[in-house]
Amino acid sequence: NAGVTQTPKFRILKIGQSMTLQCTQDMNHNYMYWYRQDPGMGLKLIYYSVGAGITDKGEVPNGYNVSRSTTEDFPLRLELAAPSQTSVYFCASSTNTGTDTQYFGPGTRLTVL
Amino acid sequence: AQSVAQPEDQVNVAEGNPLTVKCTYSVSGNPYLFWYVQYPNRGLQFLLKYITGDNLVKGSYGFEAEFNKSQTSFHLKKPSALVSDSALYFCAVRDRISGNNRLAFGKGNQVVVIP
């Protein structure tokens, strides 16, 4: 199993550009999550999904969109990139049991200039 | 709302000495508690979790943590630190009542093990 994979690893965007961060998991997990990590701030939940076709907002959803058409994939869309979106983005997945561990991808480092 | 506090930004410890990383939490009900570790330029890796039962939880790489309900704490410990333990450590909590598996993470503690 590859676990959770994310692409790209790095990206530089100009202000106002758009992009999609890709996330795929091969563990047949129902739950998937997108976090951003800023220095000294821990991880903040952007969006999450409890299954294909179902998504919901987390703590910091503004400026982002998601979709979940399959169990495996959970892309994160940035529209009109802003410098405040410079961060490291992590995708994670888990089963639908409350005690389960979340498994994280390697992250995407995004810089908006 | 659930939240986690990790009061120290950085923990410095000499190799071979005991390592402790502190975590306190706040939830409205009973908690599920987790520790994750992040090595440079990597994603988070699971270390251990407390769900129920024994308050002392043993995890990967010789780490353990003790759940203390009265002090609302879940401190991470290792009896003898290694240089390779130098990393960023995150505590996370989930309220048992919540139905969506959402975790609240602390800001992280940088651990530096000095040779």
Side-chain angles (χ1 to χ4, degrees):
Chain A
N1 284 354
V4 180
T5 57
Q6 293 182 238
T7 57
K9 287 187 169 54
F10 306 95
R11 184 72 184 268
I12 298 175
L13 284 181
K14 295 182 179 178
I15 294 172
Q17 288 185 320
S18 299
M19 77 164 294
T20 299
L21 281 66
Q22 301 292 345
C23 174
T24 300
Q25 54 92 9
D26 63 359
M27 297 174 281
N28 201 33
H29 286 167
N30 285 330
Y31 283 63
M32 296 187 74
Y33 315 82
W34 274 106
Y35 294 93
R36 59 177 287 171
Q37 182 183 26
D38 301 306
M41 299 295 290
L43 276 74
K44 301 294 184 185
L45 183 65
I46 304 172
Y47 271 96
Y48 66 99
S49 169
V50 301
I54 306 170
T55 62
D56 205 351
K57 296 178 180 178
E59 301 171 78
V60 289
N62 292 345
Y64 307 95
N65 276 300
V66 293
S67 59
R68 184 97 181 268
S69 57
T70 67
T71 299
E72 295 78 20
D73 300 306
F74 190 41
L76 177 72
R77 179 81 177 163
L78 278 71
E79 304 281 1
L80 299 174
S84 62
Q85 293 178 305
T86 294
S87 189
V88 181
Y89 292 84
F90 289 101
C91 180
S93 72
S94 69
T95 68
N96 58 354
T97 61
T99 60
D100 195 46
T101 301
Q102 290 187 17
Y103 294 86
F104 285 79
T108 294
R109 185 175 296 274
L110 175 68
T111 302
V112 182
L113 301 174
Chain B
Q2 52 205 25
S3 65
V4 168
Q6 294 182 247
E8 300 162 314
D9 289 332
Q10 183 164 311
V11 175
N12 295 327
V13 61
E15 186 176 24
N17 281 3
L19 169 63
T20 298
V21 188
K22 296 180 180 178
C23 170
T24 57
Y25 66 89
S26 175
V27 294
S28 54
N30 289 317
Y32 295 134
L33 292 154
F34 300 79
W35 275 102
Y36 287 84
V37 61
Q38 184 182 31
Y39 298 100
N41 301 313
R42 303 286 295 275
L44 276 69
Q45 297 178 31
F46 169 74
L47 273 180
L48 52 80
K49 62 184 176 184
Y50 171 80
I51 304 301
T52 188
D54 289 341
N55 290 341
L56 184 63
V57 179
K58 294 188 183 297
S60 306
Y61 312 121
F63 284 95
E64 59 188 30
E66 186 165 12
F67 170 62
N68 187 317
K69 187 172 183 178
S70 62
Q71 297 186 3
T72 61
S73 67
F74 191 56
H75 302 329
L76 181 70
K77 299 181 180 182
K78 186 171 183 179
S80 178
L82 301 172
V83 172
S84 56
D85 294 328
S86 297
L88 190 56
Y89 290 80
F90 290 95
C91 182
V93 67
R94 176 181 172 273
D95 193 320
R96 294 187 186 204
I97 297 172
S98 170
N100 57 26
N101 266 15
R102 292 173 64 167
L103 287 178
F105 284 86
K107 64 179 175 61
N109 283 126
Q110 184 68 49
V111 169
V112 178
V113 181
I114 303 163

